[in-house]
Amino acid sequence: MLSMNIEKISQTSLAKAAHLLHTGALVAFPTETVYGLGADATNDKAVAEIFAVKGRPQFNPLIIHVSDMAMAESLVQWNKTADILARAFWPGPLTLVLERLPDSPVSLLASSGGNTLGLRLPAHADAQALIREADIPLAAPSANRSGRVSPTTAEHVYAELGNDIPLILDGGACSVGIESTVIDISGEIPILLRPGFVTHEELEKALCRKVKHHQEEASSVLKSPGLLLSHYAPTLPVRLNVREPKPDEALLAFGPSMPQGAKMVINLSASGDLKEAAANLFAMLRKADSPEFSAIAVMSIPERGLGIAINDRLMRAAAR
Ligand code: TXA
Ligand code: MG
C-alpha cells in the first residue's frame, strides 16, 4: 500500500513527528504491544483530536506514555507498589494507574476528568526515542477506529485511519501484539483493570500479595461513588438542555448566543466548535462544580461528532 503519511523510523521522521506533536497534531507510532495514536498529553485540543479521529462515542481515560522514570514521577503520586512493579515490568506492557499530582500538566480530558492517570513506559526503542525527542508525555490509545481491533503494523494503522492523521511512523510489526495490562495501584488494594500481556500471576508474584480483579472489587468497595471510577462525577446536580438558567446556577454555555441570568457563565465554545468544547469539558465542569452554585446548568450540545461523547458524559453526570 502506497501512502504519503507512512514514514520509516529515522532521525528525520522522529524530528518531524516531534514537531507535529508540538503543534497539537496526532502521530501514530509503534510500541511493543500495538500501534498507538499519539498526542501531546498536556494539550487539551490535541487530546480532543484523538477522540474525534477515533470516532469514539465516549470519553475513556487514555494511557499516558513516558520515556523514563523522571517523567513518570513528574505526573503522578508515585508509591512503593509502583516502584516494585516498575522495577519488575518497565519498560514494558504494564500500565500503572496512580493518583495525579495536583499540578500534573496532563490534560483532564486524557483522564476523563478523573484524579488518576494510567502511565506506561513502553519497551519499544522507537516509542522511547519519539517521547524523548518530543520531550512530552504522549496520550495514546490504540490507533484504530472505535470498536475495531488494535493495529500491529503501520499498514494496519493506515487501513484504519488513512490520511486523517499527518504521520504514521513505521517501526515494523509489534512483537507483543496484545495490549498492556492495566493495574490500579492508586489505593490500598491493587486492582487489575484490564488483562493484558503481563499476567495476574506475574503481578501477584512481583508484589507478594493478592491482586483483585475489577469485578471482585466492584461489589465491595465501589459503593462509595467515585472511589474507583476513572471518570469525573460532579457533586452538584446537573441540568441538561437548559434555555433559562436559574439565578443561583452555574451555566455551561455552548455557542455564540448565551442565555442571561445565571450566577456564573462559562462557554465550552463560543464559536460552537465541538472539538474546543470537548477540550474544555472537564476543566469547566470542575470549575462549575462549586458549593457557591445550586446546580450546573448545561445548554444543549448537538448530537454529532464529538458532541455524542460530550452528551454521553453529561447524561451520566445528570443521572446520578
Ligand atoms: O498496549 C497498550 O496499552 C496500547 C499501547 C498504544 O500503549 N494502548 C491502549 O490504549 O490499549 P487504549 O486507550 O486502547 O486502552 C486504555 C485502557 C482502557 O481500558 C482505559 O480504561 C484504561 O486503559 N485506563 C487508562 N487510564 C486509566 C485510568 N486513569 N484509570 C482507569 N483506567 C485507565
Ligand atoms: Mg484500544
Side-chain angles (χ1 to χ4, degrees):
M1 189 179 313
L2 266 182
S3 154
M4 297 302 289
N5 62 348
I6 298 185
E7 290 188 28
K8 287 247 178 289
I9 296 277
S10 68
Q11 207 38 59
T12 316
S13 63
L14 283 172
K16 180 174 169 184
H19 174 73
L20 283 165
L21 290 165
H22 286 151
T23 65
L26 305 189
V27 172
F29 65 98
T31 81
E32 71 278 21
T33 59
V34 300
Y35 272 72
L37 179 60
D40 175 355
T42 68
N43 179 336
D44 287 318
K45 281 197 176 172
V47 174
E49 180 72 14
I50 288 181
F51 291 103
V53 166
K54 278 189 69 103
R56 221 173 183 280
Q58 290 172 342
F59 295 126
N60 63 327
L62 304 174
I63 294 173
I64 310 302
H65 297 70
V66 297
S67 55
D68 52 46
M69 296 293 299
M71 195 185 270
E73 287 176 54
S74 73
L75 306 177
V76 294
Q77 192 74 55
W78 199 251
N79 63 31
K80 270 199 203 123
T81 310
D83 252 345
I84 297 168
L85 291 178
R87 232 178 291 132
F89 301 105
W90 275 14
L94 180 67
T95 296
L96 304 177
V97 173
L98 288 153
E99 197 78 28
R100 291 172 74 104
L101 284 175
D103 59 349
S104 179
V106 171
S107 158
L108 276 173
L109 183 60
S111 55
S112 299
N115 292 326
T116 58
L117 288 180
L119 296 190
R120 182 159 109 75
L121 174 46
H124 200 293
D126 299 335
Q128 285 183 18
L130 175 64
I131 305 165
R132 263 200 311 274
E133 178 81 20
D135 198 22
I136 39 172
L138 297 185
S142 48
N144 50 280
R145 298 241 186 246
S146 175
R148 298 174 45 94
V149 296
S150 301
T152 53
T153 66
E155 287 75 22
H156 292 170
V157 177
Y158 186 78
E160 286 292 316
L161 307 176
N163 292 305
D164 285 2
I165 55 172
L167 180 60
I168 299 169
L169 288 175
D170 185 355
C174 303
S175 58
V176 170
I178 61 168
E179 285 93 344
S180 65
T181 304
V182 181
I183 184 170
D184 185 341
I185 50 169
S186 64
E188 270 303 301
I189 315 156
I191 299 162
L192 186 66
L193 296 181
R194 179 177 76 176
F197 189 72
V198 174
T199 65
H200 190 222
E201 294 70 39
E202 286 175 306
L203 290 169
E204 290 192 332
K205 196 162 168 230
L207 289 172
C208 300
R209 64 181 291 188
K210 278 232 157 298
V211 171
K212 295 209 169 184
H213 283 284
H214 189 28
Q215 298 87 317
E216 280 176 61
E217 205 49 26
S219 51
S220 51
V221 184
L222 211 80
K223 276 177 204 133
S224 129
L227 189 62
L228 286 173
L229 294 181
S230 46
H231 292 89
Y232 174 69
T235 309
L236 289 182
V238 175
R239 279 205 312 134
L240 302 179
N241 303 316
V242 169
R243 290 177 194 209
E244 288 176 28
K246 298 172 186 160
D248 48 4
E249 286 181 330
L251 177 70
L252 284 195
F254 179 81
S257 57
M258 292 194 284
Q260 300 300 306
K263 193 166 182 185
M264 175 183 79
V265 181
I266 37 183
N267 204 326
L268 289 164
S269 170
S271 64
D273 175 5
L274 288 165
K275 217 176 277 179
E276 184 181 17
N280 284 331
L281 179 65
F282 290 106
M284 289 191 175
L285 265 179
R286 279 178 183 252
K287 192 166 175 203
D289 193 18
S290 149
E292 61 186 303
F293 310 116
S294 64
I296 305 170
V298 191
M299 284 174 70
S300 135
I301 312 286
E303 183 73 1
R304 61 177 155 77
L306 277 177
I308 295 169
I310 295 173
N311 284 326
D312 167 74
R313 202 76 226 38
L314 288 171
M315 274 184 294
R316 285 194 272 155
R320 291 179 68 238

